[in-house]
Amino acid sequence: MTAGHGGGGAFEAATGDGPPVPPADVEQRSREVRAALDGLLQIRRLTHRQDGGDPQAVPADWERRQPVRAVALALESGGLTPSAVDASGARITTGYRVRPGDRPETAVVEWLGPAGSGAAQEEATALGGCVPALARLGWEALLYKGPRGRRFLEVEPMAG
C-alpha cells in the first residue's frame, strides 16, 4: 500500500503522507475518489444485504481490517484536504493525516502542516470539520488532547 495519491496503479486514498495532487490532476483525482466511494458502498450493500440497513451506516469487514485506508477515503470523499509531503518527507501542505490507532479497527486523524503554518492553532476547528465526513460513513470520532497539547481524533467503526 502506498501512502497518499495513486500514481497510475491501484487507487489509494490520501492519508496525508503522500505527495500533493498536481493541479492538472485534481479533476481526475475527484473522479477516482467518487469511483472508490461508489465501490465501497457497493461492497457494503453486498455484505450488509442480510441486515437490510443503510449501507452508509456501518463499515464493512474490509474497512474494519484496514481502518487507515477506509478513514482516509471517508475524509477525502467528504471534500477534506489531506496534508502532503515532498520527496524528502517534509510536510508541505496543511490538512488531515491518518495513521493507525493503538487498537485494532481504529485510526487516528491529526491536523498537520509545514512548520510555521499555524496548523496547531486551527486543529480543533479543522478536526471538528472531519467528524461529519466520518459519521456519514459510519465512523465514530472522539477528540482527544495528546502530548504537547496537540489534538487528534480517535476513529472507530460505529456499532451496527
Side-chain angles (χ1 to χ4, degrees):
M1 171 175 99
T2 60
H5 308 292
F11 174 83
E12 289 290 340
T15 63
D17 281 332
V21 174
D25 295 343
V26 169
E27 190 173 314
Q28 174 63 29
R29 179 67 185 181
S30 179
R31 283 193 296 272
E32 291 172 355
V33 169
R34 279 194 307 276
L37 180 62
D38 289 346
L40 173 70
L41 294 176
Q42 182 62 21
I43 289 169
R44 286 185 179 189
R45 276 191 284 281
L46 293 171
T47 60
H48 294 177
R49 180 171 280 163
Q50 66 276 13
D51 302 344
D54 178 2
Q56 292 192 54
V58 181
D61 287 342
W62 169 87
E63 296 168 88
R64 292 170 183 270
R65 288 190 304 272
Q66 299 182 61
V68 170
R69 293 174 77 185
V71 166
L73 178 58
L75 293 171
E76 192 173 4
S77 70
L80 293 148
T81 303
S83 184
V85 296
D86 64 15
S88 72
R91 201 146 304 275
I92 56 173
T93 61
T94 300
Y96 69 80
R97 175 186 182 232
V98 184
R99 63 175 174 81
D102 294 334
R103 297 177 291 123
E105 299 187 359
T106 66
V108 171
V109 178
E110 303 164 302
W111 193 259
L112 302 175
S117 68
Q121 288 73 36
E122 62 189 47
E123 69 188 3
T125 301
L127 290 170
C130 294
V131 173
L134 295 165
R136 79 181 171 89
L137 287 172
W139 294 95
E140 183 176 14
L142 299 173
L143 183 64
Y144 290 97
K145 200 177 246 189
R148 298 180 308 279
R150 295 297 306 258
R151 292 175 176 86
F152 64 93
L153 295 173
E154 184 176 81
V155 183
E156 63 186 18
M158 288 185 186

